[in-house]
Amino acid sequence: MPAPSRVQEPNHTPSPPLSSLTDVLHSVSTAIAPVWPLKDYVAVNPYMGLSDRSFLKARQMLRSVCDSDTLMPLSYYKQRFDNQLLSIQDIESAVREINAEDSLSRLTAATVIDAVSAEEQSSAAAAAENSNTTVRRLQTLSEHVDQRDRTAFSETIREEIGRHCGAFYDEGQAVWASPWKDQPLFQAWQAAAQHDRRLELSGVAGSCRFLANIPDSAEAAVAFLLHAIEIPEALWEPFLLCQMHSIPGWSSWAKYKTEQRSDDNPSDLISLLAIRLAYDVAVAKSAAFNVDWNSVASVWNNADRTVGGQADQDVRIRFALLRASEIAFQRGLLSSLSVGSISDDEKPASAATPLAQMVFCIDVRSERYRRHLEGAALPAAGVQTFGFAGFFGMPIAFQNFGEQTETPQVPALLSPSFVVQEGVRDTSEQETSAIQQGRRLTRLFRSSWKNFYSSATGCFGFVETSGLAYGWKLFSKSLNRKSATTNAKFDGLEEVDQHKLGPILSQLEQQGIDLAKQIDMGESALKGIGLTKNFATLVVFCGHGSQVQNNPLQAGLDCGACCGHSGEPNARFAAAVLNQPAVRTGLAERGIDVPDGTRFVAALHNTTSDEVTFFDTDLLTDSQQQALSELRLHTTTATSLTQLERLPQLQANNVADVLQRTLDWSEVRPEWGLAGNAAFVVAPRQMTQDANLDGRSFLHSYDHQTDDGFKVLEQIMTAPLVVGHWINMQYYASTLDNKHYGSGSKTIHNVVGKFGVFSGNGGDLTTGLPWQSIHNGQDFQHEPLRLLAVIAAPKAAVTDIIARHELLQQLLNNGWLHLVVIEDAACNRYTTQQTWQPLQDNSGLN
């Protein structure tokens, strides 16, 4: 490698006008999706900033600025075709649809079938697949230098950014905090960079002086650096996007921090962009590397953003196979539904009041449990189940007992309206205060002990004296074979009776949540569920949470509607509000008459063990206790049946093996989470009740005949459906491109700053699902399909709602989300041309 030349000090010549650059920076920022911290980990669509483009145009843009793809390789679809999971009929239907919606498409079904049915891929197709089918026209300067000089500056830059950002954003993991944390990101980095010799030692001589002398504001620095490399304005946006996509994890984190910021500090995302660009320019100047930007701009402006020949044909074929796979799933789903069972005339008459009504989260894992629970309760009075967003319409933040901070318990699209505190029932203020103090002392001791054994002075002595004891502890945990049991709090509170530990209502008035607002919440929840009459003795709000060990991404297995937390607080709070006599009276005045004998109860579904726990059962009357005892028998049966159904997917030998996974610190696949999700069904339960949907569908209860003005439908389509789409796209992207949008192998995860995960010991922040959450070691557990929404409602109402919401228009018109509406026992598909297309015999085929 030639010796690097010294970086020249920047001469402060005029920079581009900030007004035009500001627009470009805004556009770049819009294209980046945020990622939430570990404690509030929620699924996010990594392509959300590209939804204003069509699916294929978004792919073309990504392929121009980074190595990411949005289509699975041909070999994947060939395997599915060979295994008869994809039919010729599906491919023909997909090609007809694509050609009808794209006047420029000249694809033939024969071409696709020949490609996927060939014994071996042609050499041209294999080459296209191996090269990700598209040649990048934009690269970072460090990538250019690495290719020319066989260096590794791009990786060095990622390591440097990871080291600085990990320290800057640290939330208490580091023993020694960064001395520049009180400054904005860019200024903190610049203050550190002028003293940090790592980049110089890696071969970029004089970099400290160069980085110290660029402008000291992020936006001005970007302007100066763009001018320094003489890049034309036409390439600003794609080149800066290329910079951001070279560190997609940190870009997403900076976007999240920018959106959460309420002060006047500059955007963290723009600061990060300035840092990445500064490193890039420093490397290029050190290596005396120049780019003929005019030539690049000419190619960029004149190209149609696609690559012709075999590569372009390969893209069209793979897109057709994606759509054929979606049609195959659509066909199977629609054929399993009782499409005609949605009118009042066809609803079976209830012989008696049901034993209980259980409201579950719409999470796909609830589908299996609901199916088995309903079957277990027959042929007796039965148990009715409903699907509703798992926060149960309660927009709360929750403060755990003895803690000073609260956690949001709402979907990421919303913000909490007030804080609900956890307390202990049937204790005096003095007793409660004593319990809280004891809990705080326990936590203080644990924190102090951790700080001691992780500190520079205590760590070596600690290992010398206590290492063997901890080795035995690790060994004993490895041998643990106790059965897991669900309890009220997975982290445990030894000092109190956990059944008496729950949300308290006494402080709601102080936050402006008076009786009228509590009645509003109760009314909104019951109407959203579709439960406004014929109440059972027990109405159970069943939230869900996951019980696993040694998993930094555990929140990803908890309730997405509760911002990556257990749904227990929402379920218990909803039940407490609706059990108040004054709220019942207010509901009756609004036409919702809840009988005196009805009790709202909270429960929690542990999705790892499929056990269900009920709360506050000591408050039930004798008759309600009897009903609960019978309900427990049915839930126990449903638990056993659901566990047995999951055995093959988990590759478990028996139920004991499944339960052991909840306690095993070394288990990388304790459960599959939402893997396999592919549909979002908005319909009365009788439409899906007889179908085995294999845990792949979000199920939201809805009856349009009771929805005045379709207000509930509008709420569903603009909130839960969008969250379902986010989840679907996170699984899609993590499966298809785990390098950019996943988090690699769990076995090498390292937590950084308590907020994120490194895959290894540094570099870029990971954002999506680990490989073990989508692949079982032999095959993909998740099939990457765009979400299919199936809504039982009038087409006119759905059309009106879409017309009022730009986001829905983007998702549907640009092919990010599919929609089928069932009206009068007929299925119609919403096309990207904003028309309705009847499906043949409701089979899912065009």
Side-chain angles (χ1 to χ4, degrees), residues 398-403 407 422 439 442-443 446 485-496 498 501 545-549 554 558 565-566 568-569 572 604 606 615 662-663:
F398 190 66
Q399 184 175 337
N400 282 304
F401 184 72
E403 294 188 359
T407 59
E422 190 175 39
R439 188 61 184 169
T442 300
R443 288 173 176 161
R446 290 174 180 171
T485 56
T486 308
N487 52 39
K489 303 285 292 180
F490 292 150
D491 60 351
L493 282 174
E494 300 82 2
E495 297 90 345
V496 299
Q498 294 190 25
L501 187 71
S546 179
Q547 182 178 3
V548 296
Q549 301 291 326
Q554 175 179 344
D558 282 339
H565 303 111
S566 163
E568 176 196 328
R572 297 182 76 171
L604 187 70
N606 181 341
F615 303 108
T662 66
L663 300 172

Side-chain angles (χ1 to χ4, degrees), residues 75 116 147-148 150 159-160 169 171 182 210 223 269 320 441 477 481 503-504 560 584 599 608 631 682 829 839:
S75 56
V116 78
Q147 291 172 1
R148 187 193 70 175
R150 296 186 178 182
E159 292 291 331
E160 287 298 297
Y169 290 115
E171 296 179 356
D182 58 338
F210 175 81
L269 185 64
L441 288 174
K477 287 179 69 176
R481 290 293 182 269
I504 55 177
R584 298 276 189 95
R599 181 78 187 184
T608 316
L631 178 59
V682 183
R829 182 181 70 87
L839 298 180

Side-chain angles (χ1 to χ4, degrees), residues 502-776:
I504 55 177
L505 309 182
S506 58
Q507 296 183 354
L508 295 183
E509 291 276 354
Q510 300 173 16
Q511 302 180 69
I513 310 301
D514 56 16
L515 177 60
K517 291 184 178 178
Q518 293 178 48
I519 296 171
D520 289 341
M521 285 191 295
E523 179 186 23
S524 177
L526 293 176
K527 286 186 175 180
I529 295 166
L531 181 58
T532 57
K533 57 184 178 180
N534 301 325
F535 291 92
T537 300
L538 299 177
V539 178
V540 182
F541 294 113
C542 189
H544 66 93
S546 179
Q547 182 178 3
V548 296
Q549 301 291 326
N550 191 33
N551 183 2
L553 301 177
Q554 175 179 344
L557 298 176
D558 282 339
C559 183
C562 297
C563 209
H565 303 111
S566 163
E568 176 196 328
N570 298 74
R572 297 182 76 171
F573 178 73
V577 167
L578 287 166
N579 280 327
Q580 295 179 101
V583 171
R584 298 276 189 95
T585 300
L587 290 173
E589 293 173 352
R590 302 183 186 189
I592 303 176
D593 191 5
V594 181
D596 292 338
T598 292
R599 181 78 187 184
F600 292 91
V601 179
L604 187 70
H605 173 205
N606 181 341
T607 55
T608 316
S609 67
D610 278 311
E611 296 171 317
V612 168
T613 299
F614 296 90
F615 303 108
D616 303 316
T617 57
D618 57 314
L619 300 177
L620 303 181
T621 64
D622 291 343
S623 60
Q624 292 165 350
Q625 290 281 7
Q626 184 177 353
L628 179 63
S629 297
E630 189 174 346
L631 178 59
R632 285 185 193 273
L633 295 176
H634 299 317
T635 57
T636 300
T637 300
T639 292
S640 298
L641 293 174
T642 307
Q643 290 169 341
L644 290 173
E645 184 177 323
R646 292 172 57 221
L647 287 181
Q649 285 187 320
L650 288 170
Q651 298 176 317
N653 297 320
N654 48 49
V655 172
D657 188 12
V658 174
L659 298 179
Q660 170 59 24
R661 297 180 186 217
T662 66
L663 300 172
D664 189 349
W665 65 270
S666 64
E667 178 56 59
V668 293
R669 295 182 180 92
E671 62 159 290
W672 281 115
L674 292 90
N677 74 85
F680 192 105
V681 182
V682 183
R685 177 56 174 157
Q686 56 265 32
M687 181 180 287
T688 58
Q689 198 159 21
D690 296 330
N692 180 349
L693 301 181
D694 198 29
R696 300 189 65 183
S697 298
F698 300 94
L699 298 181
H700 201 301
S701 298
Y702 177 71
D703 185 349
H704 73 85
Q705 297 177 84
T706 62
D707 184 14
D708 184 27
F710 301 103
K711 295 178 182 178
V712 172
L713 179 60
E714 187 165 13
Q715 292 175 353
I716 295 172
M717 290 181 64
T718 55
L721 176 58
V722 173
V723 172
H725 163 70
W726 281 15
I727 294 170
N728 172 263
M729 279 288 107
Q730 185 194 49
Y731 273 84
Y732 183 100
S734 295
T735 302
L736 188 136
D737 189 357
N738 200 263
K739 177 182 177 181
H740 286 88
Y741 299 121
S743 59
S745 174
K746 283 184 178 180
T747 59
I748 57 172
H749 279 176
N750 280 300
V751 175
V752 53
K754 293 186 178 181
F755 63 85
V757 168
F758 281 146
S759 184
N761 63 356
D764 197 20
L765 195 70
T766 63
T767 59
L769 299 161
W771 186 245
Q772 289 87 352
S773 291
I774 54 175
H775 199 279
N776 63 17

Side-chain angles (χ1 to χ4, degrees), residues 78-126:
K78 176 174 171 52
Q79 182 180 27
R80 295 190 64 79
F81 184 80
D82 292 343
N83 292 335
Q84 299 182 344
L85 299 173
L86 193 60
S87 72
I88 291 176
Q89 189 180 19
D90 298 323
I91 293 173
E92 291 173 339
S93 184
V95 171
R96 283 196 302 271
E97 178 185 309
I98 292 170
N99 289 339
E101 297 183 15
D102 182 359
S103 59
L104 299 179
S105 176
R106 295 295 181 266
L107 193 64
T108 66
T111 301
V112 180
I113 294 168
D114 287 346
V116 78
S117 61
E119 288 296 326
E120 294 183 3
Q121 287 180 260
S122 68
S123 58

